[in-house]
Amino acid sequence: MRRILLLALAAVFVTAAQAAPPARTPLSAQDKADIARAEEYLNGVTTLKARFLQVSPNGTSVEGDAYLSRPGKLRLQYDPPSPLLVVADGSFLIVHDSQLGEPSYIPLGSTPAGILVRPGVKLDGGDVAVTRVTRQPGVVRISVVEADDAAAGEITLVFSDKPFALRQWLVKDAQHQVTTVSLYQAQSGLSLDSKLFEFKNPKFTAPSLNTGN
């Protein structure tokens, strides 16, 4: 079970190589308006706290608490008995399984999660590009890839329309397997403890000082 959860987590946070690049759909005026709404919303979020439900491609699910503090900070605290913890400290995304060993440090800019916490979110332009915008009643979905490496993976951000708010994201890996993270009971604009976004390796022991005694 832990191995399955780790694979699902990798799909959520690490871009996958050697996938066929998603086809880009020409953007309509309505698409561009929805992208602008999404950028305005994301740039307006300073802090966010929510419950989350993560579903892996094989249907395995796990829940927990999500904390977001922009720019650069994220924490996914998985409910027991899951041993997983994910922390973005502004520079790295740290993935830690307390039962399997040392944490993994991934440069934040190389992960889909980096899109959510960067200082100025721009979904279509610069180093990222929108592949398509789709709409269903009450829902807007915006799919994004790296502009210079579309085959590296795709993240789809799902927003409720009224009120306009982030409700879900989906990450498609190189084998076109999709991992979904859904948010609920979300609260924004809260004061969050900065220690939530610090990671201290519980296996690290500071060296003892030689006092000469």
Side-chain angles (χ1 to χ4, degrees):
M1 178 65 71
R2 295 196 300 273
R3 177 63 176 169
I4 292 172
L5 290 174
L6 282 173
L7 291 172
L9 195 62
V12 172
F13 293 111
V14 185
T15 55
Q18 300 178 348
R24 294 190 62 183
T25 302
L27 300 175
S28 67
Q30 181 62 60
D31 294 340
K32 294 177 182 178
D34 284 333
I35 292 168
R37 279 206 297 167
E39 291 171 345
E40 181 180 9
Y41 166 79
L42 292 172
N43 285 315
V45 172
T46 54
T47 60
L48 181 73
K49 177 183 177 182
R51 291 287 294 169
F52 72 87
L53 171 66
Q54 178 179 310
V55 181
S56 65
N58 69 353
T60 301
S61 64
V62 63
E63 295 184 78
D65 291 306
Y67 303 89
L68 176 71
S69 180
R70 300 187 58 257
K73 309 294 180 64
L74 175 72
R75 181 185 182 95
L76 295 183
Q77 179 74 56
Y78 288 76
D79 289 346
S82 172
L84 293 173
L85 173 66
V86 176
V87 177
D89 63 2
S91 300
F92 292 96
L93 189 81
I94 302 127
V95 180
H96 183 231
D97 183 319
S98 61
Q99 297 181 6
L100 290 185
E102 292 300 314
S104 298
Y105 288 78
I106 306 162
L108 188 56
S110 67
T111 72
I115 294 176
L116 301 176
V117 297
R118 59 178 52 185
V121 177
K122 187 170 180 59
L123 299 177
D124 195 48
D127 61 343
V128 294
V130 172
T131 55
R132 64 192 177 279
V133 178
T134 58
R135 283 169 288 275
Q136 297 171 323
V139 176
V140 178
R141 300 163 61 96
I142 301 175
S143 298
V144 180
V145 296
E146 291 184 29
D148 60 355
D149 189 7
E154 181 181 64
I155 182 170
T156 297
L157 305 177
V158 182
F159 300 87
S160 60
D161 191 18
K162 295 179 181 180
F164 197 88
L166 180 65
R167 300 301 185 193
Q168 189 180 76
W169 64 82
L170 304 88
V171 173
K172 183 184 292 185
D173 68 13
Q175 289 73 43
H176 300 283
Q177 300 291 305
V178 176
T179 299
T180 303
V181 176
S182 301
L183 304 177
Y184 59 98
Q185 298 178 2
Q187 304 174 68
S188 60
L190 303 175
S191 178
L192 298 178
D193 189 339
S194 62
K195 292 182 179 179
L196 286 169
F197 311 105
E198 299 174 359
F199 176 76
K200 295 181 179 179
N201 188 346
K203 292 188 176 181
F204 175 78
T205 302
S208 59
L209 297 177
N210 184 354
T211 61
N213 295 328

